[in-house]
mmCIF file with all atom_site columns, all heavy atoms in Angstrom:
data_model
loop_
_atom_site.group_PDB
_atom_site.id
_atom_site.type_symbol
_atom_site.label_atom_id
_atom_site.label_alt_id
_atom_site.label_comp_id
_atom_site.label_asym_id
_atom_site.label_entity_id
_atom_site.label_seq_id
_atom_site.pdbx_PDB_ins_code
_atom_site.Cartn_x
_atom_site.Cartn_y
_atom_site.Cartn_z
_atom_site.occupancy
_atom_site.B_iso_or_equiv
_atom_site.pdbx_formal_charge
_atom_site.auth_seq_id
_atom_site.auth_comp_id
_atom_site.auth_asym_id
_atom_site.auth_atom_id
_atom_site.pdbx_PDB_model_num
ATOM 1   N N   . MET A 1 19 ? 237.066 22.377 187.545 1.00 74.00 ? 19 MET A N   1
ATOM 2   C CA  . MET A 1 19 ? 236.028 23.342 187.893 1.00 74.00 ? 19 MET A CA  1
ATOM 3   C C   . MET A 1 19 ? 236.247 23.843 189.316 1.00 74.00 ? 19 MET A C   1
ATOM 4   O O   . MET A 1 19 ? 236.718 23.103 190.191 1.00 74.00 ? 19 MET A O   1
ATOM 5   C CB  . MET A 1 19 ? 234.642 22.698 187.771 1.00 74.00 ? 19 MET A CB  1
ATOM 6   C CG  . MET A 1 19 ? 234.273 22.257 186.356 1.00 74.00 ? 19 MET A CG  1
ATOM 7   S SD  . MET A 1 19 ? 232.702 21.357 186.282 1.00 74.00 ? 19 MET A SD  1
ATOM 8   C CE  . MET A 1 19 ? 231.580 22.682 186.724 1.00 74.00 ? 19 MET A CE  1
ATOM 9   N N   . SER A 1 20 ? 235.899 25.106 189.549 1.00 76.00 ? 20 SER A N   1
ATOM 10  C CA  . SER A 1 20 ? 235.984 25.673 190.888 1.00 76.00 ? 20 SER A CA  1
ATOM 11  C C   . SER A 1 20 ? 234.794 25.184 191.715 1.00 76.00 ? 20 SER A C   1
ATOM 12  O O   . SER A 1 20 ? 233.822 24.623 191.195 1.00 76.00 ? 20 SER A O   1
ATOM 13  C CB  . SER A 1 20 ? 235.960 27.198 190.823 1.00 76.00 ? 20 SER A CB  1
ATOM 14  O OG  . SER A 1 20 ? 234.688 27.651 190.390 1.00 76.00 ? 20 SER A OG  1
ATOM 15  N N   . ASN A 1 21 ? 234.843 25.430 193.035 1.00 81.00 ? 21 ASN A N   1
ATOM 16  C CA  . ASN A 1 21 ? 233.734 25.025 193.890 1.00 81.00 ? 21 ASN A CA  1
ATOM 17  C C   . ASN A 1 21 ? 232.435 25.709 193.486 1.00 81.00 ? 21 ASN A C   1
ATOM 18  O O   . ASN A 1 21 ? 231.363 25.101 193.528 1.00 81.00 ? 21 ASN A O   1
ATOM 19  C CB  . ASN A 1 21 ? 234.059 25.338 195.354 1.00 81.00 ? 21 ASN A CB  1
ATOM 20  C CG  . ASN A 1 21 ? 235.058 24.360 195.940 1.00 81.00 ? 21 ASN A CG  1
ATOM 21  O OD1 . ASN A 1 21 ? 235.414 23.378 195.298 1.00 81.00 ? 21 ASN A OD1 1
ATOM 22  N ND2 . ASN A 1 21 ? 235.523 24.626 197.151 1.00 81.00 ? 21 ASN A ND2 1
ATOM 23  N N   . ALA A 1 22 ? 232.522 26.988 193.128 1.00 79.00 ? 22 ALA A N   1
ATOM 24  C CA  . ALA A 1 22 ? 231.319 27.707 192.705 1.00 79.00 ? 22 ALA A CA  1
ATOM 25  C C   . ALA A 1 22 ? 230.731 27.099 191.429 1.00 79.00 ? 22 ALA A C   1
ATOM 26  O O   . ALA A 1 22 ? 229.506 26.962 191.286 1.00 79.00 ? 22 ALA A O   1
ATOM 27  C CB  . ALA A 1 22 ? 231.641 29.182 192.503 1.00 79.00 ? 22 ALA A CB  1
ATOM 28  N N   . GLN A 1 23 ? 231.594 26.754 190.491 1.00 77.00 ? 23 GLN A N   1
ATOM 29  C CA  . GLN A 1 23 ? 231.112 26.143 189.249 1.00 77.00 ? 23 GLN A CA  1
ATOM 30  C C   . GLN A 1 23 ? 230.477 24.776 189.520 1.00 77.00 ? 23 GLN A C   1
ATOM 31  O O   . GLN A 1 23 ? 229.456 24.423 188.930 1.00 77.00 ? 23 GLN A O   1
ATOM 32  C CB  . GLN A 1 23 ? 232.269 26.004 188.264 1.00 77.00 ? 23 GLN A CB  1
ATOM 33  C CG  . GLN A 1 23 ? 232.775 27.325 187.707 1.00 77.00 ? 23 GLN A CG  1
ATOM 34  C CD  . GLN A 1 23 ? 234.051 27.159 186.901 1.00 77.00 ? 23 GLN A CD  1
ATOM 35  O OE1 . GLN A 1 23 ? 234.941 26.388 187.275 1.00 77.00 ? 23 GLN A OE1 1
ATOM 36  N NE2 . GLN A 1 23 ? 234.152 27.870 185.791 1.00 77.00 ? 23 GLN A NE2 1
ATOM 37  N N   . ILE A 1 24 ? 231.082 24.010 190.405 1.00 84.00 ? 24 ILE A N   1
ATOM 38  C CA  . ILE A 1 24 ? 230.524 22.696 190.749 1.00 84.00 ? 24 ILE A CA  1
ATOM 39  C C   . ILE A 1 24 ? 229.161 22.866 191.411 1.00 84.00 ? 24 ILE A C   1
ATOM 40  O O   . ILE A 1 24 ? 228.212 22.120 191.117 1.00 84.00 ? 24 ILE A O   1
ATOM 41  C CB  . ILE A 1 24 ? 231.484 21.934 191.683 1.00 84.00 ? 24 ILE A CB  1
ATOM 42  C CG1 . ILE A 1 24 ? 232.806 21.641 190.965 1.00 84.00 ? 24 ILE A CG1 1
ATOM 43  C CG2 . ILE A 1 24 ? 230.853 20.626 192.165 1.00 84.00 ? 24 ILE A CG2 1
ATOM 44  C CD1 . ILE A 1 24 ? 233.875 21.064 191.873 1.00 84.00 ? 24 ILE A CD1 1
ATOM 45  N N   . ALA A 1 25 ? 229.062 23.847 192.300 1.00 84.00 ? 25 ALA A N   1
ATOM 46  C CA  . ALA A 1 25 ? 227.787 24.081 192.978 1.00 84.00 ? 25 ALA A CA  1
ATOM 47  C C   . ALA A 1 25 ? 226.683 24.409 191.976 1.00 84.00 ? 25 ALA A C   1
ATOM 48  O O   . ALA A 1 25 ? 225.552 23.910 192.081 1.00 84.00 ? 25 ALA A O   1
ATOM 49  C CB  . ALA A 1 25 ? 227.941 25.220 193.989 1.00 84.00 ? 25 ALA A CB  1
ATOM 50  N N   . ARG A 1 26 ? 227.012 25.253 190.995 1.00 80.00 ? 26 ARG A N   1
ATOM 51  C CA  . ARG A 1 26 ? 225.991 25.601 189.985 1.00 80.00 ? 26 ARG A CA  1
ATOM 52  C C   . ARG A 1 26 ? 225.609 24.391 189.146 1.00 80.00 ? 26 ARG A C   1
ATOM 53  O O   . ARG A 1 26 ? 224.431 24.181 188.838 1.00 80.00 ? 26 ARG A O   1
ATOM 54  C CB  . ARG A 1 26 ? 226.516 26.728 189.090 1.00 80.00 ? 26 ARG A CB  1
ATOM 55  C CG  . ARG A 1 26 ? 226.564 28.092 189.783 1.00 80.00 ? 26 ARG A CG  1
ATOM 56  C CD  . ARG A 1 26 ? 226.749 29.221 188.784 1.00 80.00 ? 26 ARG A CD  1
ATOM 57  N NE  . ARG A 1 26 ? 228.039 29.166 188.128 1.00 80.00 ? 26 ARG A NE  1
ATOM 58  C CZ  . ARG A 1 26 ? 229.140 29.747 188.612 1.00 80.00 ? 26 ARG A CZ  1
ATOM 59  N NH1 . ARG A 1 26 ? 229.098 30.405 189.751 1.00 80.00 ? 26 ARG A NH1 1
ATOM 60  N NH2 . ARG A 1 26 ? 230.284 29.671 187.956 1.00 80.00 ? 26 ARG A NH2 1
ATOM 61  N N   . ARG A 1 27 ? 226.595 23.586 188.778 1.00 75.00 ? 27 ARG A N   1
ATOM 62  C CA  . ARG A 1 27 ? 226.302 22.420 187.921 1.00 75.00 ? 27 ARG A CA  1
ATOM 63  C C   . ARG A 1 27 ? 225.434 21.400 188.660 1.00 75.00 ? 27 ARG A C   1
ATOM 64  O O   . ARG A 1 27 ? 224.494 20.838 188.083 1.00 75.00 ? 27 ARG A O   1
ATOM 65  C CB  . ARG A 1 27 ? 227.596 21.754 187.469 1.00 75.00 ? 27 ARG A CB  1
ATOM 66  C CG  . ARG A 1 27 ? 227.369 20.381 186.820 1.00 75.00 ? 27 ARG A CG  1
ATOM 67  C CD  . ARG A 1 27 ? 228.639 19.750 186.336 1.00 75.00 ? 27 ARG A CD  1
ATOM 68  N NE  . ARG A 1 27 ? 229.072 20.324 185.066 1.00 75.00 ? 27 ARG A NE  1
ATOM 69  C CZ  . ARG A 1 27 ? 230.042 19.798 184.306 1.00 75.00 ? 27 ARG A CZ  1
ATOM 70  N NH1 . ARG A 1 27 ? 230.647 18.693 184.707 1.00 75.00 ? 27 ARG A NH1 1
ATOM 71  N NH2 . ARG A 1 27 ? 230.379 20.358 183.176 1.00 75.00 ? 27 ARG A NH2 1
ATOM 72  N N   . LEU A 1 28 ? 225.744 21.157 189.932 1.00 81.00 ? 28 LEU A N   1
ATOM 73  C CA  . LEU A 1 28 ? 225.041 20.105 190.674 1.00 81.00 ? 28 LEU A CA  1
ATOM 74  C C   . LEU A 1 28 ? 223.855 20.627 191.478 1.00 81.00 ? 28 LEU A C   1
ATOM 75  O O   . LEU A 1 28 ? 223.190 19.845 192.167 1.00 81.00 ? 28 LEU A O   1
ATOM 76  C CB  . LEU A 1 28 ? 226.027 19.398 191.618 1.00 81.00 ? 28 LEU A CB  1
ATOM 77  C CG  . LEU A 1 28 ? 227.241 18.731 190.951 1.00 81.00 ? 28 LEU A CG  1
ATOM 78  C CD1 . LEU A 1 28 ? 228.113 18.045 192.000 1.00 81.00 ? 28 LEU A CD1 1
ATOM 79  C CD2 . LEU A 1 28 ? 226.797 17.727 189.902 1.00 81.00 ? 28 LEU A CD2 1
ATOM 80  N N   . HIS A 1 29 ? 223.624 21.957 191.408 1.00 81.00 ? 29 HIS A N   1
ATOM 81  C CA  . HIS A 1 29 ? 222.496 22.584 192.115 1.00 81.00 ? 29 HIS A CA  1
ATOM 82  C C   . HIS A 1 29 ? 222.568 22.336 193.625 1.00 81.00 ? 29 HIS A C   1
ATOM 83  O O   . HIS A 1 29 ? 221.592 21.940 194.269 1.00 81.00 ? 29 HIS A O   1
ATOM 84  C CB  . HIS A 1 29 ? 221.161 22.070 191.555 1.00 81.00 ? 29 HIS A CB  1
ATOM 85  C CG  . HIS A 1 29 ? 221.019 22.246 190.076 1.00 81.00 ? 29 HIS A CG  1
ATOM 86  N ND1 . HIS A 1 29 ? 220.888 23.487 189.481 1.00 81.00 ? 29 HIS A ND1 1
ATOM 87  C CD2 . HIS A 1 29 ? 221.020 21.336 189.070 1.00 81.00 ? 29 HIS A CD2 1
ATOM 88  C CE1 . HIS A 1 29 ? 220.798 23.334 188.160 1.00 81.00 ? 29 HIS A CE1 1
ATOM 89  N NE2 . HIS A 1 29 ? 220.882 22.039 187.888 1.00 81.00 ? 29 HIS A NE2 1
ATOM 90  N N   . ILE A 1 30 ? 223.778 22.537 194.162 1.00 84.00 ? 30 ILE A N   1
ATOM 91  C CA  . ILE A 1 30 ? 223.985 22.438 195.602 1.00 84.00 ? 30 ILE A CA  1
ATOM 92  C C   . ILE A 1 30 ? 224.736 23.678 196.060 1.00 84.00 ? 30 ILE A C   1
ATOM 93  O O   . ILE A 1 30 ? 225.201 24.475 195.237 1.00 84.00 ? 30 ILE A O   1
ATOM 94  C CB  . ILE A 1 30 ? 224.771 21.160 195.988 1.00 84.00 ? 30 ILE A CB  1
ATOM 95  C CG1 . ILE A 1 30 ? 226.115 21.108 195.235 1.00 84.00 ? 30 ILE A CG1 1
ATOM 96  C CG2 . ILE A 1 30 ? 223.944 19.912 195.695 1.00 84.00 ? 30 ILE A CG2 1
ATOM 97  C CD1 . ILE A 1 30 ? 226.961 19.879 195.565 1.00 84.00 ? 30 ILE A CD1 1
ATOM 98  N N   . SER A 1 31 ? 224.863 23.861 197.367 1.00 84.00 ? 31 SER A N   1
ATOM 99  C CA  . SER A 1 31 ? 225.550 25.039 197.877 1.00 84.00 ? 31 SER A CA  1
ATOM 100 C C   . SER A 1 31 ? 227.064 24.859 197.803 1.00 84.00 ? 31 SER A C   1
ATOM 101 O O   . SER A 1 31 ? 227.566 23.733 197.757 1.00 84.00 ? 31 SER A O   1
ATOM 102 C CB  . SER A 1 31 ? 225.141 25.306 199.327 1.00 84.00 ? 31 SER A CB  1
ATOM 103 O OG  . SER A 1 31 ? 225.690 24.313 200.179 1.00 84.00 ? 31 SER A OG  1
ATOM 104 N N   . VAL A 1 32 ? 227.766 25.981 197.822 1.00 82.00 ? 32 VAL A N   1
ATOM 105 C CA  . VAL A 1 32 ? 229.229 25.926 197.830 1.00 82.00 ? 32 VAL A CA  1
ATOM 106 C C   . VAL A 1 32 ? 229.720 25.242 199.099 1.00 82.00 ? 32 VAL A C   1
ATOM 107 O O   . VAL A 1 32 ? 230.687 24.476 199.066 1.00 82.00 ? 32 VAL A O   1
ATOM 108 C CB  . VAL A 1 32 ? 229.816 27.355 197.715 1.00 82.00 ? 32 VAL A CB  1
ATOM 109 C CG1 . VAL A 1 32 ? 231.336 27.318 197.913 1.00 82.00 ? 32 VAL A CG1 1
ATOM 110 C CG2 . VAL A 1 32 ? 229.486 27.961 196.362 1.00 82.00 ? 32 VAL A CG2 1
ATOM 111 N N   . ARG A 1 33 ? 229.049 25.495 200.231 1.00 80.00 ? 33 ARG A N   1
ATOM 112 C CA  . ARG A 1 33 ? 229.447 24.836 201.479 1.00 80.00 ? 33 ARG A CA  1
ATOM 113 C C   . ARG A 1 33 ? 229.328 23.312 201.375 1.00 80.00 ? 33 ARG A C   1
ATOM 114 O O   . ARG A 1 33 ? 230.156 22.572 201.893 1.00 80.00 ? 33 ARG A O   1
ATOM 115 C CB  . ARG A 1 33 ? 228.582 25.346 202.647 1.00 80.00 ? 33 ARG A CB  1
ATOM 116 C CG  . ARG A 1 33 ? 228.835 26.792 203.024 1.00 80.00 ? 33 ARG A CG  1
ATOM 117 C CD  . ARG A 1 33 ? 230.226 26.979 203.639 1.00 80.00 ? 33 ARG A CD  1
ATOM 118 N NE  . ARG A 1 33 ? 230.369 26.269 204.887 1.00 80.00 ? 33 ARG A NE  1
ATOM 119 C CZ  . ARG A 1 33 ? 229.999 26.751 206.072 1.00 80.00 ? 33 ARG A CZ  1
ATOM 120 N NH1 . ARG A 1 33 ? 229.475 27.969 206.153 1.00 80.00 ? 33 ARG A NH1 1
ATOM 121 N NH2 . ARG A 1 33 ? 230.173 26.057 207.171 1.00 80.00 ? 33 ARG A NH2 1
ATOM 122 N N   . THR A 1 34 ? 228.282 22.838 200.661 1.00 85.00 ? 34 THR A N   1
ATOM 123 C CA  . THR A 1 34 ? 228.120 21.396 200.476 1.00 85.00 ? 34 THR A CA  1
ATOM 124 C C   . THR A 1 34 ? 229.242 20.848 199.606 1.00 85.00 ? 34 THR A C   1
ATOM 125 O O   . THR A 1 34 ? 229.781 19.756 199.863 1.00 85.00 ? 34 THR A O   1
ATOM 126 C CB  . THR A 1 34 ? 226.756 21.088 199.834 1.00 85.00 ? 34 THR A CB  1
ATOM 127 O OG1 . THR A 1 34 ? 225.719 21.585 200.679 1.00 85.00 ? 34 THR A OG1 1
ATOM 128 C CG2 . THR A 1 34 ? 226.568 19.589 199.644 1.00 85.00 ? 34 THR A CG2 1
ATOM 129 N N   . VAL A 1 35 ? 229.624 21.612 198.560 1.00 87.00 ? 35 VAL A N   1
ATOM 130 C CA  . VAL A 1 35 ? 230.752 21.190 197.721 1.00 87.00 ? 35 VAL A CA  1
ATOM 131 C C   . VAL A 1 35 ? 232.016 21.091 198.565 1.00 87.00 ? 35 VAL A C   1
ATOM 132 O O   . VAL A 1 35 ? 232.768 20.115 198.473 1.00 87.00 ? 35 VAL A O   1
ATOM 133 C CB  . VAL A 1 35 ? 230.965 22.163 196.549 1.00 87.00 ? 35 VAL A CB  1
ATOM 134 C CG1 . VAL A 1 35 ? 232.217 21.785 195.765 1.00 87.00 ? 35 VAL A CG1 1
ATOM 135 C CG2 . VAL A 1 35 ? 229.755 22.170 195.629 1.00 87.00 ? 35 VAL A CG2 1
ATOM 136 N N   . GLU A 1 36 ? 232.245 22.099 199.397 1.00 84.00 ? 36 GLU A N   1
ATOM 137 C CA  . GLU A 1 36 ? 233.430 22.089 200.248 1.00 84.00 ? 36 GLU A CA  1
ATOM 138 C C   . GLU A 1 36 ? 233.443 20.853 201.147 1.00 84.00 ? 36 GLU A C   1
ATOM 139 O O   . GLU A 1 36 ? 234.487 20.227 201.371 1.00 84.00 ? 36 GLU A O   1
ATOM 140 C CB  . GLU A 1 36 ? 233.465 23.357 201.111 1.00 84.00 ? 36 GLU A CB  1
ATOM 141 C CG  . GLU A 1 36 ? 233.698 24.632 200.313 1.00 84.00 ? 36 GLU A CG  1
ATOM 142 C CD  . GLU A 1 36 ? 233.493 25.878 201.152 1.00 84.00 ? 36 GLU A CD  1
ATOM 143 O OE1 . GLU A 1 36 ? 233.091 25.731 202.323 1.00 84.00 ? 36 GLU A OE1 1
ATOM 144 O OE2 . GLU A 1 36 ? 233.711 26.987 200.631 1.00 84.00 ? 36 GLU A OE2 1
ATOM 145 N N   . SER A 1 37 ? 232.275 20.487 201.666 1.00 83.00 ? 37 SER A N   1
ATOM 146 C CA  . SER A 1 37 ? 232.177 19.309 202.522 1.00 83.00 ? 37 SER A CA  1
ATOM 147 C C   . SER A 1 37 ? 232.528 18.038 201.755 1.00 83.00 ? 37 SER A C   1
ATOM 148 O O   . SER A 1 37 ? 233.261 17.176 202.262 1.00 83.00 ? 37 SER A O   1
ATOM 149 C CB  . SER A 1 37 ? 230.758 19.200 203.095 1.00 83.00 ? 37 SER A CB  1
ATOM 150 O OG  . SER A 1 37 ? 230.608 18.016 203.847 1.00 83.00 ? 37 SER A OG  1
ATOM 151 N N   . HIS A 1 38 ? 232.021 17.938 200.510 1.00 86.00 ? 38 HIS A N   1
ATOM 152 C CA  . HIS A 1 38 ? 232.325 16.758 199.700 1.00 86.00 ? 38 HIS A CA  1
ATOM 153 C C   . HIS A 1 38 ? 233.818 16.707 199.359 1.00 86.00 ? 38 HIS A C   1
ATOM 154 O O   . HIS A 1 38 ? 234.433 15.628 199.370 1.00 86.00 ? 38 HIS A O   1
ATOM 155 C CB  . HIS A 1 38 ? 231.494 16.767 198.419 1.00 86.00 ? 38 HIS A CB  1
ATOM 156 C CG  . HIS A 1 38 ? 230.048 16.418 198.631 1.00 86.00 ? 38 HIS A CG  1
ATOM 157 N ND1 . HIS A 1 38 ? 229.646 15.349 199.397 1.00 86.00 ? 38 HIS A ND1 1
ATOM 158 C CD2 . HIS A 1 38 ? 228.909 16.999 198.162 1.00 86.00 ? 38 HIS A CD2 1
ATOM 159 C CE1 . HIS A 1 38 ? 228.325 15.277 199.406 1.00 86.00 ? 38 HIS A CE1 1
ATOM 160 N NE2 . HIS A 1 38 ? 227.861 16.271 198.669 1.00 86.00 ? 38 HIS A NE2 1
ATOM 161 N N   . VAL A 1 39 ? 234.399 17.865 199.039 1.00 86.00 ? 39 VAL A N   1
ATOM 162 C CA  . VAL A 1 39 ? 235.826 17.897 198.713 1.00 86.00 ? 39 VAL A CA  1
ATOM 163 C C   . VAL A 1 39 ? 236.650 17.466 199.927 1.00 86.00 ? 39 VAL A C   1
ATOM 164 O O   . VAL A 1 39 ? 237.591 16.674 199.809 1.00 86.00 ? 39 VAL A O   1
ATOM 165 C CB  . VAL A 1 39 ? 236.251 19.301 198.232 1.00 86.00 ? 39 VAL A CB  1
ATOM 166 C CG1 . VAL A 1 39 ? 237.771 19.392 198.114 1.00 86.00 ? 39 VAL A CG1 1
ATOM 167 C CG2 . VAL A 1 39 ? 235.602 19.620 196.891 1.00 86.00 ? 39 VAL A CG2 1
ATOM 168 N N   . SER A 1 40 ? 236.295 17.956 201.103 1.00 83.00 ? 40 SER A N   1
ATOM 169 C CA  . SER A 1 40 ? 237.012 17.564 202.320 1.00 83.00 ? 40 SER A CA  1
ATOM 170 C C   . SER A 1 40 ? 236.909 16.068 202.554 1.00 83.00 ? 40 SER A C   1
ATOM 171 O O   . SER A 1 40 ? 237.883 15.403 202.939 1.00 83.00 ? 40 SER A O   1
ATOM 172 C CB  . SER A 1 40 ? 236.453 18.323 203.528 1.00 83.00 ? 40 SER A CB  1
ATOM 173 O OG  . SER A 1 40 ? 236.665 19.712 203.395 1.00 83.00 ? 40 SER A OG  1
ATOM 174 N N   . SER A 1 41 ? 235.719 15.515 202.314 1.00 82.00 ? 41 SER A N   1
ATOM 175 C CA  . SER A 1 41 ? 235.529 14.080 202.485 1.00 82.00 ? 41 SER A CA  1
ATOM 176 C C   . SER A 1 41 ? 236.386 13.287 201.503 1.00 82.00 ? 41 SER A C   1
ATOM 177 O O   . SER A 1 41 ? 237.011 12.280 201.864 1.00 82.00 ? 41 SER A O   1
ATOM 178 C CB  . SER A 1 41 ? 234.051 13.724 202.293 1.00 82.00 ? 41 SER A CB  1
ATOM 179 O OG  . SER A 1 41 ? 233.845 12.332 202.356 1.00 82.00 ? 41 SER A OG  1
ATOM 180 N N   . LEU A 1 42 ? 236.441 13.749 200.257 1.00 83.00 ? 42 LEU A N   1
ATOM 181 C CA  . LEU A 1 42 ? 237.242 13.062 199.245 1.00 83.00 ? 42 LEU A CA  1
ATOM 182 C C   . LEU A 1 42 ? 238.728 13.145 199.575 1.00 83.00 ? 42 LEU A C   1
ATOM 183 O O   . LEU A 1 42 ? 239.465 12.164 199.401 1.00 83.00 ? 42 LEU A O   1
ATOM 184 C CB  . LEU A 1 42 ? 236.966 13.663 197.869 1.00 83.00 ? 42 LEU A CB  1
ATOM 185 C CG  . LEU A 1 42 ? 235.594 13.350 197.266 1.00 83.00 ? 42 LEU A CG  1
ATOM 186 C CD1 . LEU A 1 42 ? 235.311 14.264 196.073 1.00 83.00 ? 42 LEU A CD1 1
ATOM 187 C CD2 . LEU A 1 42 ? 235.516 11.892 196.830 1.00 83.00 ? 42 LEU A CD2 1
ATOM 188 N N   . LEU A 1 43 ? 239.180 14.287 200.061 1.00 80.00 ? 43 LEU A N   1
ATOM 189 C CA  . LEU A 1 43 ? 240.579 14.428 200.451 1.00 80.00 ? 43 LEU A CA  1
ATOM 190 C C   . LEU A 1 43 ? 240.932 13.415 201.545 1.00 80.00 ? 43 LEU A C   1
ATOM 191 O O   . LEU A 1 43 ? 241.986 12.786 201.514 1.00 80.00 ? 43 LEU A O   1
ATOM 192 C CB  . LEU A 1 43 ? 240.851 15.848 200.948 1.00 80.00 ? 43 LEU A CB  1
ATOM 193 C CG  . LEU A 1 43 ? 240.825 16.966 199.907 1.00 80.00 ? 43 LEU A CG  1
ATOM 194 C CD1 . LEU A 1 43 ? 240.887 18.331 200.602 1.00 80.00 ? 43 LEU A CD1 1
ATOM 195 C CD2 . LEU A 1 43 ? 241.965 16.837 198.921 1.00 80.00 ? 43 LEU A CD2 1
ATOM 196 N N   . ARG A 1 44 ? 240.019 13.276 202.498 1.00 74.00 ? 44 ARG A N   1
ATOM 197 C CA  . ARG A 1 44 ? 240.271 12.334 203.591 1.00 74.00 ? 44 ARG A CA  1
ATOM 198 C C   . ARG A 1 44 ? 240.240 10.890 203.092 1.00 74.00 ? 44 ARG A C   1
ATOM 199 O O   . ARG A 1 44 ? 241.115 10.088 203.433 1.00 74.00 ? 44 ARG A O   1
ATOM 200 C CB  . ARG A 1 44 ? 239.222 12.537 204.685 1.00 74.00 ? 44 ARG A CB  1
ATOM 201 C CG  . ARG A 1 44 ? 239.329 11.555 205.841 1.00 74.00 ? 44 ARG A CG  1
ATOM 202 C CD  . ARG A 1 44 ? 238.278 11.868 206.903 1.00 74.00 ? 44 ARG A CD  1
ATOM 203 N NE  . ARG A 1 44 ? 236.950 11.920 206.351 1.00 74.00 ? 44 ARG A NE  1
ATOM 204 C CZ  . ARG A 1 44 ? 236.200 10.839 206.043 1.00 74.00 ? 44 ARG A CZ  1
ATOM 205 N NH1 . ARG A 1 44 ? 236.685 9.629  206.260 1.00 74.00 ? 44 ARG A NH1 1
ATOM 206 N NH2 . ARG A 1 44 ? 234.987 10.974 205.558 1.00 74.00 ? 44 ARG A NH2 1
ATOM 207 N N   . LYS A 1 45 ? 239.255 10.551 202.274 1.00 74.00 ? 45 LYS A N   1
ATOM 208 C CA  . LYS A 1 45 ? 239.106 9.167  201.827 1.00 74.00 ? 45 LYS A CA  1
ATOM 209 C C   . LYS A 1 45 ? 240.256 8.722  200.925 1.00 74.00 ? 45 LYS A C   1
ATOM 210 O O   . LYS A 1 45 ? 240.721 7.579  201.007 1.00 74.00 ? 45 LYS A O   1
ATOM 211 C CB  . LYS A 1 45 ? 237.772 8.990  201.097 1.00 74.00 ? 45 LYS A CB  1
ATOM 212 C CG  . LYS A 1 45 ? 236.556 9.049  202.023 1.00 74.00 ? 45 LYS A CG  1
ATOM 213 C CD  . LYS A 1 45 ? 235.258 8.854  201.261 1.00 74.00 ? 45 LYS A CD  1
ATOM 214 C CE  . LYS A 1 45 ? 234.062 8.851  202.211 1.00 74.00 ? 45 LYS A CE  1
ATOM 215 N NZ  . LYS A 1 45 ? 232.784 8.640  201.498 1.00 74.00 ? 45 LYS A NZ  1
ATOM 216 N N   . TYR A 1 46 ? 240.699 9.619  200.057 1.00 74.00 ? 46 TYR A N   1
ATOM 217 C CA  . TYR A 1 46 ? 241.777 9.243  199.149 1.00 74.00 ? 46 TYR A CA  1
ATOM 218 C C   . TYR A 1 46 ? 243.149 9.491  199.747 1.00 74.00 ? 46 TYR A C   1
ATOM 219 O O   . TYR A 1 46 ? 244.166 9.064  199.183 1.00 74.00 ? 46 TYR A O   1
ATOM 220 C CB  . TYR A 1 46 ? 241.648 10.006 197.824 1.00 74.00 ? 46 TYR A CB  1
ATOM 221 C CG  . TYR A 1 46 ? 240.605 9.418  196.905 1.00 74.00 ? 46 TYR A CG  1
ATOM 222 C CD1 . TYR A 1 46 ? 239.392 10.051 196.719 1.00 74.00 ? 46 TYR A CD1 1
ATOM 223 C CD2 . TYR A 1 46 ? 240.833 8.222  196.239 1.00 74.00 ? 46 TYR A CD2 1
ATOM 224 C CE1 . TYR A 1 46 ? 238.420 9.512  195.880 1.00 74.00 ? 46 TYR A CE1 1
ATOM 225 C CE2 . TYR A 1 46 ? 239.876 7.684  195.403 1.00 74.00 ? 46 TYR A CE2 1
ATOM 226 C CZ  . TYR A 1 46 ? 238.677 8.329  195.225 1.00 74.00 ? 46 TYR A CZ  1
ATOM 227 O OH  . TYR A 1 46 ? 237.730 7.789  194.409 1.00 74.00 ? 46 TYR A OH  1
#
Side-chain angles (χ1 to χ4, degrees):
M19 297 174 67
S20 68
N21 285 353
Q23 290 171 320
I24 296 172
R26 287 194 294 272
R27 168 178 281 192
L28 301 181
H29 305 291
I30 56 180
S31 71
V32 172
R33 291 292 296 275
T34 301
V35 175
E36 292 170 356
S37 176
H38 286 314
V39 171
S40 297
S41 176
L42 289 166
L43 290 171
R44 177 178 54 78
K45 289 181 177 181
Y46 281 106

